[in-house]
Short mmCIF file of all heavy atoms in Angstrom, two decimals:
data_model
loop_
_atom_site.label_atom_id
_atom_site.label_comp_id
_atom_site.label_asym_id
_atom_site.label_seq_id
_atom_site.Cartn_x
_atom_site.Cartn_y
_atom_site.Cartn_z
N ASP A 257 -20.14 132.31 7.04
CA ASP A 257 -18.81 131.72 6.88
C ASP A 257 -18.01 131.85 8.17
O ASP A 257 -17.17 130.99 8.46
CB ASP A 257 -18.05 132.41 5.75
CG ASP A 257 -18.75 132.20 4.42
OD1 ASP A 257 -19.04 131.03 4.08
OD2 ASP A 257 -19.05 133.20 3.74
N VAL A 258 -18.26 132.94 8.89
CA VAL A 258 -17.53 133.20 10.13
C VAL A 258 -18.48 133.87 11.11
O VAL A 258 -19.27 134.73 10.71
CB VAL A 258 -16.31 134.14 9.88
CG1 VAL A 258 -15.59 134.45 11.18
CG2 VAL A 258 -15.35 133.53 8.86
N VAL A 259 -18.41 133.46 12.38
CA VAL A 259 -19.14 134.15 13.45
C VAL A 259 -18.13 134.53 14.53
O VAL A 259 -17.26 133.73 14.88
CB VAL A 259 -20.25 133.26 14.05
CG1 VAL A 259 -20.72 133.78 15.40
CG2 VAL A 259 -21.44 133.16 13.09
N THR A 260 -18.23 135.76 15.02
CA THR A 260 -17.38 136.16 16.14
C THR A 260 -18.24 136.30 17.40
O THR A 260 -19.37 136.76 17.35
CB THR A 260 -16.64 137.48 15.86
OG1 THR A 260 -17.59 138.51 15.53
CG2 THR A 260 -15.66 137.32 14.71
N LEU A 261 -17.66 135.88 18.53
CA LEU A 261 -18.34 135.90 19.82
C LEU A 261 -17.42 136.51 20.87
O LEU A 261 -16.19 136.46 20.73
CB LEU A 261 -18.67 134.48 20.28
CG LEU A 261 -19.60 133.63 19.42
CD1 LEU A 261 -19.67 132.22 20.00
CD2 LEU A 261 -20.98 134.26 19.36
N ALA A 262 -17.98 137.06 21.91
CA ALA A 262 -17.21 137.45 23.10
C ALA A 262 -18.21 137.76 24.22
O ALA A 262 -18.84 136.83 24.72
CB ALA A 262 -16.27 138.63 22.84
N LYS A 263 -18.36 139.02 24.56
CA LYS A 263 -19.21 139.50 25.65
C LYS A 263 -19.81 138.42 26.55
O LYS A 263 -19.24 138.08 27.56
CB LYS A 263 -20.30 140.41 25.08
CG LYS A 263 -19.71 141.74 24.58
CD LYS A 263 -20.71 142.85 24.54
CE LYS A 263 -20.06 144.22 24.38
NZ LYS A 263 -19.77 144.62 23.01
N GLY A 264 -20.97 137.87 26.23
CA GLY A 264 -21.65 136.95 27.14
C GLY A 264 -21.01 135.57 27.25
O GLY A 264 -21.36 134.80 28.13
N LEU A 265 -20.07 135.27 26.37
CA LEU A 265 -19.56 133.90 26.26
C LEU A 265 -18.99 133.37 27.58
O LEU A 265 -19.24 132.22 27.94
CB LEU A 265 -18.50 133.84 25.15
CG LEU A 265 -17.80 132.51 24.90
CD1 LEU A 265 -18.78 131.39 24.58
CD2 LEU A 265 -16.79 132.65 23.75
N GLY A 266 -18.23 134.20 28.30
CA GLY A 266 -17.61 133.73 29.53
C GLY A 266 -18.36 134.14 30.78
O GLY A 266 -17.86 133.95 31.90
N GLY A 267 -19.55 134.69 30.63
CA GLY A 267 -20.34 135.10 31.78
C GLY A 267 -19.65 136.14 32.65
O GLY A 267 -20.01 136.33 33.82
N GLY A 268 -18.63 136.82 32.12
CA GLY A 268 -17.92 137.84 32.89
C GLY A 268 -16.42 137.64 32.87
O GLY A 268 -15.66 138.57 33.12
N ILE A 269 -15.98 136.44 32.58
CA ILE A 269 -14.55 136.19 32.38
C ILE A 269 -14.23 136.52 30.92
O ILE A 269 -14.97 136.12 30.02
CB ILE A 269 -14.21 134.70 32.68
CG1 ILE A 269 -14.48 134.38 34.15
CG2 ILE A 269 -12.77 134.37 32.30
CD1 ILE A 269 -13.53 135.04 35.14
N PRO A 270 -13.14 137.27 30.66
CA PRO A 270 -12.86 137.67 29.28
C PRO A 270 -12.54 136.47 28.39
O PRO A 270 -11.59 135.72 28.66
CB PRO A 270 -11.62 138.58 29.41
CG PRO A 270 -11.55 138.95 30.85
CD PRO A 270 -12.19 137.83 31.61
N VAL A 271 -13.34 136.28 27.37
CA VAL A 271 -13.08 135.23 26.38
C VAL A 271 -13.86 135.57 25.11
O VAL A 271 -14.98 136.06 25.17
CB VAL A 271 -13.47 133.82 26.91
CG1 VAL A 271 -14.88 133.76 27.41
CG2 VAL A 271 -13.21 132.74 25.87
N GLY A 272 -13.23 135.35 23.98
CA GLY A 272 -13.89 135.53 22.69
C GLY A 272 -13.60 134.33 21.82
O GLY A 272 -12.74 133.49 22.15
N ALA A 273 -14.32 134.22 20.72
CA ALA A 273 -14.10 133.09 19.82
C ALA A 273 -14.46 133.48 18.40
O ALA A 273 -15.31 134.34 18.17
CB ALA A 273 -14.96 131.89 20.26
N VAL A 274 -13.76 132.86 17.47
CA VAL A 274 -14.08 132.96 16.06
C VAL A 274 -14.48 131.57 15.61
O VAL A 274 -13.73 130.61 15.82
CB VAL A 274 -12.86 133.41 15.24
CG1 VAL A 274 -13.23 133.58 13.77
CG2 VAL A 274 -12.27 134.69 15.81
N ILE A 275 -15.66 131.44 15.03
CA ILE A 275 -16.11 130.16 14.50
C ILE A 275 -16.09 130.26 12.98
O ILE A 275 -16.73 131.15 12.41
CB ILE A 275 -17.52 129.81 14.99
CG1 ILE A 275 -17.57 129.82 16.52
CG2 ILE A 275 -17.96 128.45 14.44
CD1 ILE A 275 -18.97 129.66 17.09
N ALA A 276 -15.32 129.39 12.34
CA ALA A 276 -15.26 129.35 10.88
C ALA A 276 -16.08 128.17 10.41
O ALA A 276 -15.85 127.03 10.85
CB ALA A 276 -13.82 129.24 10.42
N TYR A 277 -17.05 128.44 9.56
CA TYR A 277 -18.04 127.43 9.15
C TYR A 277 -17.56 126.67 7.92
O TYR A 277 -17.39 127.25 6.85
CB TYR A 277 -19.38 128.10 8.84
CG TYR A 277 -20.15 128.49 10.08
CD1 TYR A 277 -19.63 129.42 10.97
CD2 TYR A 277 -21.39 127.93 10.36
CE1 TYR A 277 -20.34 129.79 12.11
CE2 TYR A 277 -22.11 128.29 11.48
CZ TYR A 277 -21.57 129.22 12.36
OH TYR A 277 -22.27 129.57 13.48
N GLY A 278 -17.36 125.36 8.10
CA GLY A 278 -17.03 124.50 6.97
C GLY A 278 -15.54 124.50 6.67
O GLY A 278 -14.75 125.27 7.21
N GLN A 279 -15.20 123.60 5.76
CA GLN A 279 -13.81 123.29 5.46
C GLN A 279 -13.03 124.51 4.95
O GLN A 279 -11.90 124.76 5.38
CB GLN A 279 -13.80 122.19 4.39
CG GLN A 279 -12.45 121.56 4.14
CD GLN A 279 -12.03 120.67 5.30
OE1 GLN A 279 -12.87 120.08 5.98
NE2 GLN A 279 -10.74 120.58 5.53
#
Side-chain angles (χ1 to χ4, degrees):
D257 297 308
V258 178
V259 163
T260 56
L261 298 175
K263 290 203 166 85
L265 178 57
I269 296 291
V271 54
V274 183
I275 304 173
Y277 284 62
Q279 191 72 30

